[in-house]
């Protein structure tokens, strides 16, 4: 047993899984950049105050924050999500609106680690700041939907709801509190504790004991203002026009306090644990203002990368990894031919690896086979004397002798042509 292991709730993402993560990021970037979103990279830690704006009744703030005092006596926290940092960034830099940005990176929450729930986890997401248009909500949701489609997933269900405006929500929370208080005898002890902090979150309880009380609870629908109702109806009409299937779930409240009007969640039916949400988001007004910027509405989502890939595994889709090697060089002379050829082929745009440590032909051949390369380039003493090498197609086992000077042409004929890398000389 080595002296150190990964901390609870963290994992090494090893090859080939790490390549799959990068491929997922590339799919995501392709989808959102097609809609004019640009990448932002906010810092991984911020002043704790930035995240306290997520709401003091949320678990993320009360229990799960990785906060500490740095050596300069500042109270900072590792980000538990990206939205607050992006709103802080907007308030600080005041870009022109609508500001359409996407991100990808790790978040940190001190949670009880279990399958699909980690203390360090990755998200990809988008935020748009500066527009209240309901059809923007539709654009945001549709890009999330498209992302899952492009990964090849068919197990994803979309749930939508409206939380109304601030005043609607306050009236609703009051009504919910009153209702749950009169039924508190029947609620689980955990839900009774949640009720004290945030009655909305009781709706999230999956405990069997709470089920019937929750089923009889008032729904937000009866508390929506005319404007909020009209906004939600436009969102639903937009989704209908794009033929995106969805279910209205009046129990959907989302974990953080800042949401208003539209909220949505993507769940995967391929995940059978309690952690079936692969992503979610919604509209939030007031967060930028809270962080010292001008009043600016926002809408966005975050998709959980770890869980999305677990769902892909369960469906047997998106098995992408790193691109395989084009060629593996086997040099049984002094290794200088391999050094020279590898450098030349890499400059010509091929993916090429080679063996080291002067190993035998048989040992190097084994490594070449294992590497997944399409072609082996073999240099023995005869080849070296003739400034040539043997190209062996590792799929068909066909081989031919070619001059080192004609290598790029011959390799292109086998694996396809490549774009040469830039050189400055
Ligand atoms: P949230 O904004 O908290 O709903 O997070 C959005 C998505 O991130 C969720 O739907 C999950 O897929 C993912 N997620 C959130 N927390 C975790 C965690 N602790 N571990 C893994 N994935 C998470």
């Amino acid at each position: 047993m080595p002296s150190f292991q990964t901390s609870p709730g963290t994992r090494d993402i090893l090859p080939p899984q790490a390549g799959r993560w990068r491929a997922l990021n590339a799919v995501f970037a392709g989808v959102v950049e097609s809609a004019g979103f640009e990448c932002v990279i906010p810092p991984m830690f911020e002043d704790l105050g930035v995240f306290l704006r997520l709401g003091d009744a949320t678990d993320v703030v009360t229990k799960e924050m990785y906060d500490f005092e740095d050596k300069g006596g500042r109270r900072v926290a590792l980000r538990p999500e990206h939205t607050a940092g992006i709103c802080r960034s907007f308030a600080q830099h005041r870009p022109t609106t609508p500001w359409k940005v996407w991100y990808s990176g790790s978040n940190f929450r001190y949670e009880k680690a279990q399958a699909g729930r980690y203390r360090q986890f990755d998200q990809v997401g988008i935020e748009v700041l500066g527009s209240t248009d309901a059809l923007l909500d539709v654009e945001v949701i549709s890009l999330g939907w498209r992302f899952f489609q492009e990964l090849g997933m068919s197990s994803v269900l979309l749930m939508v709801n409206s939380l109304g405006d601030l005043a609607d929500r306050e009236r609703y929370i009051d009504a919910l509190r009153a209702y749950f208080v009169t039924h508190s005898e029947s609620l689980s002890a955990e839900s009774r504790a949640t009720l004290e902090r945030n009655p909305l979150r009781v709706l999230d309880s999956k405990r069997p004991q709470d089920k019937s009380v929750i089923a009889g609870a008032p729904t937000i629908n009866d508390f929506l203002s005319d404007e909020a109702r009209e906004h939600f109806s436009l969102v639903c009409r937009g989704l209908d026009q794009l033929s995106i299937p969805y279910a209205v779930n009046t129990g959907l409240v989302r974990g953080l306090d800042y949401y208003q009007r539209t909220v949505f969640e993507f769940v995967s039916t391929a995940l059978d644990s309690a952690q079936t949400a692969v992503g979610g988001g919604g509209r939030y007004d007031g967060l930028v203002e809270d962080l010292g910027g001008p009043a600016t509405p926002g809408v966005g989502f975050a998709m959980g990368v770890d869980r999305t890939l677990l769902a892909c595994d369960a469906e047997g889709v998106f098995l992408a990894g790193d691109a395989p090697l084009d060629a593996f060089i086997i040099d049984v002379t002094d290794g200088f031919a391999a050094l020279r050829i590898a450098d030349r082929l890499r400059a010509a745009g091929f993916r090429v690896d080679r063996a080291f440590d002067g190993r035998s032909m048989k040992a190097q051949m084994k490594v070449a086979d294992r590497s997944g390369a399409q072609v082996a380039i073999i240099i023995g003493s005869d080849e070296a004397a003739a400034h040539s090498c043997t190209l062996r197609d590792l799929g068909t086992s066909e081989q031919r002798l070619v001059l080192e000077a004609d290598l790029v042409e011959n390799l292109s004929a086998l694996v396809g042509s490549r774009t040469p890398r830039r050189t400055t000389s």
Side-chain angles (χ1 to χ4, degrees), residues 7-273:
S7 293
T10 68
R11 297 166 305 149
D12 295 313
I13 314 294
L14 300 172
Q17 183 72 349
R20 205 170 164 220
W21 279 51
R22 288 203 316 169
L24 178 144
N25 272 310
V27 168
F28 186 73
V31 168
V32 296
E33 286 179 355
S34 80
F37 284 78
E38 295 177 303
C39 183
V40 284
I41 308 176
M44 224 175 258
F45 64 87
E46 302 248 5
D47 191 304
L48 174 65
V50 171
F51 304 118
L52 295 183
R53 301 298 194 285
L54 301 179
D56 51 15
T58 64
D59 286 354
V60 169
V61 168
T62 54
K63 298 194 209 149
E64 298 167 1
M65 198 74 81
Y66 269 96
D67 57 323
F68 56 97
E69 197 174 288
D70 73 7
K71 289 185 169 55
R74 288 176 210 90
R75 195 84 205 158
V76 295
L78 301 183
R79 64 180 176 218
E81 52 104 67
H82 277 68
T83 307
I86 288 173
C87 288
R88 191 270 314 136
S89 176
F90 179 88
Q92 183 174 340
H93 303 289
R94 309 278 170 102
T96 49
T97 57
W99 199 42
K100 295 174 82 173
V101 292
W102 71 270
Y103 61 82
S104 143
S106 297
N107 301 310
F108 305 86
R109 296 183 192 173
Y110 192 79
E111 302 204 67
K112 193 160 171 284
Q114 51 192 289
R117 188 166 285 281
Y118 310 101
R119 290 181 177 170
Q120 175 175 345
F121 62 96
D122 265 46
Q123 287 181 335
V124 289
I126 57 178
E127 309 291 347
V128 188
L129 290 164
S131 166
T132 54
D133 196 326
L135 295 191
L136 177 58
D137 304 16
V138 180
E139 175 169 300
V140 165
I141 296 172
S142 73
L143 292 173
W145 181 255
R146 181 164 302 232
F147 167 60
F148 293 121
Q149 302 290 300
E150 286 210 11
L151 294 178
M153 298 171 79
S154 51
S155 68
V156 176
L157 303 178
L158 166 64
M159 293 184 308
V160 296
N161 190 23
S162 172
L163 292 181
D165 291 315
L166 210 53
D168 308 344
R169 193 169 144 156
E170 274 168 9
R171 282 188 301 128
Y172 178 52
I173 289 176
D174 286 345
L176 261 188
R177 184 179 293 111
Y179 169 82
F180 283 131
V181 165
T182 56
H183 293 81
S184 70
E185 307 288 87
S186 321
L187 285 175
S188 63
E190 291 87 347
S191 285
R192 276 202 298 275
T194 310
L195 175 58
E196 300 261 305
R197 286 184 285 128
N198 187 348
L200 270 183
R201 298 287 290 165
V202 178
L203 295 176
D204 263 354
S205 164
K206 305 273 184 308
R207 291 179 194 86
Q209 190 187 339
D210 298 327
K211 231 176 163 177
S212 62
V213 183
I214 291 174
T219 61
I220 181 73
N221 208 24
D222 299 329
F223 295 83
L224 294 184
S225 63
D226 289 346
E227 295 77 17
R229 194 178 301 281
E230 169 63 11
H231 187 99
F232 191 49
S233 119
L234 287 170
V235 171
C236 294
R237 270 175 56 201
L239 292 173
D240 291 338
Q241 288 217 358
L242 297 180
S243 304
I244 295 175
Y246 62 92
V248 175
N249 176 350
T250 53
L252 178 66
V253 292
R254 307 270 310 135
L256 306 173
D257 267 2
Y258 54 61
Y259 288 108
Q260 285 177 38
R261 296 203 173 183
T262 317
V263 286
F264 54 92
E265 201 151 86
F266 296 97
V267 297
S268 165
T269 55
L271 292 172
D272 54 13
S273 67

Side-chain angles (χ1 to χ4, degrees), residues 354-373:
R354 56 160 294 189
F356 289 98
D357 300 319
R359 303 172 69 191
S360 71
M361 167 75 93
K362 200 170 149 203
Q364 292 194 40
M365 203 61 197
K366 236 186 195 161
V367 185
D369 275 330
R370 257 205 325 258
S371 75

